[in-house]
Amino acid sequence: MLPPSRCVLLRCSRLAGAWTRAGLRWKHASLLKVVNEPILAFLPGSPERDALQKALKDLKGRTEAIPCVVGDEEVWTSDIRYQVSPFNHGRKVAKFCYADQALLNKAIEAALAARKEWDLKPLVDRAQIFLKAADLLSGPHRAEVLAKTMLGQGKTVIQAEIDAAAELIDFFRFNAKFAMELEGEQPISTAPSTNHMVYRGLEGFVAAISPFNFTAIGGNLAGTPALMGNVVLWKPSDTAMLASYAVYRVLREAGLPPNIIQFVPADGPVFGDTVTSSEHLCGINFTGSVPTFKHLWKQVAQNLDSFRTFPRLAGECGGKNFHLVHRSADVDSVVSGTLRSAFEYGGQKCSACSRLYVPASLWPQIRERLLEELSRITVGDPAEDFRTFFSAVIDAKSFARIKKWLEHARSSPSLTILAGGTCDDSVGYFVEPCIVESKDPRDPIMKEEIFGPVLTVYVYPDDQFRETLHLVDSTTSYGLTGAVFAKDKDIVQEARATLRNTAGNFYVNDKSTGSVVGQQPFGGSRASGTNDKPGGPHYLLRWTSPQVIKETHEPLGDWRYSYMQ
């Protein structure tokens, strides 16, 4: 049984199907109660801080060997790769290998062989595995997964805690709750028949392709389809390998059978070509870049005639997120919220604010405050100095891309760098937080995703707020997150209406980052993705193929209708 101390209570193990002659319905109780995982403070002398520092110390100087895992077999190929620490790229934190096409096809076969038995396994039994994994992450494995996220992905203590601990635990617990509630949603029955909805897994295998920036996303992209009765090939990011493998091992320790999730690091094009050429592909669960998702979509379309079913495509592709400030806004909230949204984790969150619209009357005050607070931000080694606000960007490719944008800011006549913007990759991939002012609201730096610690500000005339609303809506192709800061309630309502399609997650007087599972299900549309809202109950429907069963309990009688007599 699960410990009540984890705020998880499994009240019953089966749905109670009850029907009477007068209007038949399937009845069910509330099966599972969960709450969000508390975020620990890591204050000096606290048990969680001591445990984390010990875990970081234990990992020092170690390079973990991470194989492909197909079935219960650990497999090494000749294509060896290394994951390095972003803030010290001379330090190899993981050694792993790429699965080749033959191994990926073997993984597909192993997954398909296990699919039927896993799909027929009662949901409550599958849910217990993920609830157990959540307890392991909350307790004995918390420090380990946090330390590996910090070292491998360059996260600070708090950013690792809200990701690899709290969010991942919440995904596992809330998804179990949502799944149990979904199974309890049954159709109306009328005498003499009963109707029942069976939430089957999809027929085939799901390919899960996860990014570097959230350990929790990897666990969710692979875990949610598995919870719903699917088998999965999980391709983790090369730059999140250490933490991803730790999550996979936790799932196995929690009781996940060996062939349900195949752990297969691979070259992106090889993985994409292999899964989309299999007739058994039934879904792709993706977080990453727009070009990659479009390429996968095109590959699926090209092979559509060969698939046994129409594959489900779920994708989250980032954003060009905004903070729009009205002259009635609280300046302190604007400054604090924007600094956190733009620069936490070096701007490498899909939801990070990268464009700020400020009225001319407030700009002198906001500018002064932004620059003053920016000077207090520390950038460094998050494992050695817990005062670090953010660390290096993830890798050399990211560093080069951001550096190119900063060169554009220096050379463009419409752009002025107000602070920061220096780069140094001698030890780690460090980019100083940068604030740019743009005289041109449609400069490319206001349109395209940078995925780094660069915030661009456009100052608009106070009397052109309505025009600025339309500017915010039309400037970029993305539609992920955005925020409006205003005390005027009429202004807030107008902004909500005008910006209705601009953001899948819309914030009023709060920053554009920080969605919480069960509270703000996450996702956007336009170029930002398919807006399937992981973290909410609707997401699970993407990974099930419902079957309705009607059972009649009396003889059918004469085939003729009464009016024919």
Side-chain angles (χ1 to χ4, degrees):
M1 293 298 292
L2 296 169
S5 61
R6 300 302 184 206
C7 303
V8 180
L9 177 61
L10 195 56
R11 289 186 165 174
C12 60
S13 61
R14 295 292 184 273
L15 296 175
W19 60 280
T20 62
R21 299 290 298 177
L24 306 175
R25 288 180 181 271
W26 283 85
K27 298 177 181 178
H28 69 281
S30 176
L31 297 180
L32 190 62
K33 286 192 173 180
V34 302
V35 297
N36 292 110
E37 176 73 5
I39 296 171
L40 304 183
F42 295 89
L43 297 174
S46 64
E48 65 267 20
R49 187 179 180 115
D50 292 343
L52 178 56
Q53 288 179 324
K54 181 181 183 303
L56 289 167
K57 184 178 179 181
D58 291 344
L59 290 171
K60 201 165 188 176
R62 279 180 49 193
T63 302
E64 183 167 345
I66 298 176
C68 298
V69 185
V70 175
D72 221 6
E73 182 183 0
E74 296 184 354
V75 181
W76 284 93
T77 68
S78 59
D79 194 351
I80 302 298
R81 305 285 168 139
Y82 292 90
Q83 180 188 1
V84 300
S85 186
F87 50 86
N88 184 355
H89 48 60
R91 179 180 178 184
K92 297 176 180 177
V93 297
K95 172 186 176 182
F96 62 98
C97 66
Y98 275 171
D100 55 23
Q101 186 178 21
L103 185 57
L104 291 171
N105 282 322
K106 183 179 177 180
I108 292 171
E109 293 171 6
L112 294 173
R115 188 190 72 82
K116 185 175 182 180
E117 182 181 355
W118 178 247
D119 184 35
L120 290 173
K121 193 178 186 71
L123 172 62
V124 66
D125 294 338
R126 298 197 302 264
Q128 287 280 13
I129 293 170
F130 288 90
L131 293 170
K132 176 64 173 176
D135 283 347
L136 291 171
L137 288 164
S138 179
H141 288 292
R142 192 185 202 112
E144 174 202 352
V145 175
L146 293 187
K148 289 180 175 179
T149 298
M150 291 172 70
L151 292 176
Q153 291 138 268
K155 293 208 167 187
T156 61
V157 177
I158 185 61
Q159 293 302 309
E161 167 70 5
I162 63 177
D163 164 23
E167 183 167 297
L168 182 54
I169 292 164
D170 284 351
F171 273 138
F172 287 167
R173 287 181 180 158
F174 276 87
N175 284 340
K177 166 186 165 65
F178 295 147
M180 305 282 274
E181 291 173 346
L182 180 63
E183 190 170 73
E185 291 294 326
Q186 293 294 328
I188 295 171
S189 295
T190 57
S193 302
T194 52
N195 300 310
H196 184 58
M197 183 87 79
V198 178
Y199 293 93
R200 306 171 299 179
L202 308 179
E203 191 176 8
F205 72 93
V206 173
I209 304 170
S210 59
F212 76 86
N213 61 335
F214 277 87
T215 299
I217 292 179
N220 191 50
L221 292 184
T224 304
L227 170 66
M228 299 308 294
N230 297 284
V231 289
V232 181
L233 266 65
W234 179 12
K235 179 203 167 303
S237 168
D238 291 4
T239 45
M241 197 63 62
L242 186 64
S244 296
Y245 188 61
V247 172
Y248 172 75
R249 296 309 308 173
V250 165
L251 285 168
R252 293 296 305 278
E253 183 180 339
L256 187 74
N259 279 308
I260 306 309
I261 296 178
Q262 316 284 338
F263 189 83
V264 281
D267 174 67
V270 171
F271 185 85
D273 291 348
T274 305
V275 298
T276 56
S277 64
S278 171
E279 65 175 320
H280 298 288
L281 177 69
C282 64
I284 295 177
N285 206 7
F286 174 87
T287 296
S289 72
V290 173
T292 300
F293 191 49
K294 283 183 175 180
H295 180 70
L296 288 167
W297 198 298
K298 290 173 183 176
Q299 286 184 299
V300 168
Q302 289 167 358
N303 296 330
L304 205 55
D305 291 338
S306 66
F307 298 127
R308 295 170 63 90
T309 187
F310 288 99
R312 308 271 180 96
L313 303 180
E316 198 269 282
C317 303
K320 189 68 179 175
N321 312 297
F322 64 88
H323 281 186
L324 172 59
V325 183
H326 183 256
R327 64 188 175 192
S328 68
D330 177 74
V331 170
D332 289 342
S333 295
V334 171
V335 172
S336 178
T338 301
L339 285 172
R340 279 199 172 182
S341 180
F343 300 121
E344 278 187 324
Y345 195 40
Q348 296 176 116
K349 296 183 181 183
C350 304
S351 54
C353 172
S354 58
R355 50 189 178 125
L356 173 65
Y357 297 84
V358 180
S361 62
L362 291 185
W363 176 231
Q365 187 180 358
I366 289 175
R367 182 183 187 275
E368 181 182 359
R369 289 288 314 285
L370 279 174
L371 297 181
E372 179 185 353
E373 297 301 326
L374 190 74
S375 67
R376 296 192 173 107
I377 289 179
T378 55
V379 181
D381 182 335
E384 293 293 334
D385 185 358
F386 280 16
R387 297 171 301 174
T388 299
F389 185 70
F390 76 87
S391 185
V393 298
I394 192 65
D395 59 14
K397 184 178 178 182
S398 177
F399 179 86
R401 183 185 65 250
I402 297 165
K403 188 176 181 180
K404 206 169 180 182
W405 277 110
L406 293 172
E407 290 168 355
H408 168 71
R410 291 187 185 95
S411 62
S412 172
S414 64
L415 302 178
T416 304
I417 294 179
L418 303 181
T422 61
C423 305
D424 183 356
D425 62 350
S426 57
V427 176
Y429 303 112
F430 287 101
V431 178
E432 189 182 13
C434 182
I435 298 178
V436 178
E437 183 178 356
S438 178
K439 300 297 184 186
D440 177 5
R442 296 191 183 276
D443 187 275
I445 205 169
M446 298 287 288
K447 293 182 176 183
E448 298 180 34
E449 186 177 47
I450 299 175
F451 225 58
V454 181
L455 171 69
T456 305
V457 185
Y458 174 70
V459 180
Y460 69 90
D462 286 44
D463 61 356
Q464 292 185 17
F465 180 76
R466 184 162 293 172
E467 292 83 350
T468 305
L469 282 173
H470 292 287
L471 180 66
V472 170
D473 181 50
S474 61
T475 294
T476 181
S477 62
Y478 293 98
L480 189 55
T481 73
V484 169
F485 290 83
K487 295 177 185 176
D488 187 322
K489 298 300 181 183
D490 292 335
I491 289 295
V492 170
Q493 290 305 313
E494 182 181 3
R496 286 181 59 180
T498 305
L499 301 177
R500 183 176 175 85
N501 295 305
T502 309
N505 283 61
F506 188 81
Y507 298 84
V508 178
N509 295 318
D510 207 338
K511 59 187 176 66
S512 64
T513 57
S515 65
V516 177
V517 173
Q519 297 185 36
Q520 299 96 25
F522 188 76
S525 54
R526 296 182 176 174
S528 291
T530 50
N531 199 14
D532 303 290
K533 286 293 185 275
H538 310 95
Y539 182 62
L540 278 66
L541 284 168
R542 294 290 281 155
W543 309 113
T544 182
S545 179
Q547 178 188 55
V548 174
I549 300 171
K550 177 184 179 183
E551 182 179 359
T552 299
H553 304 282
E554 293 180 3
L556 294 180
D558 199 316
W559 63 269
R560 290 168 293 184
Y561 294 99
S562 57
Y563 71 85
M564 298 171 64
Q565 302 301 317

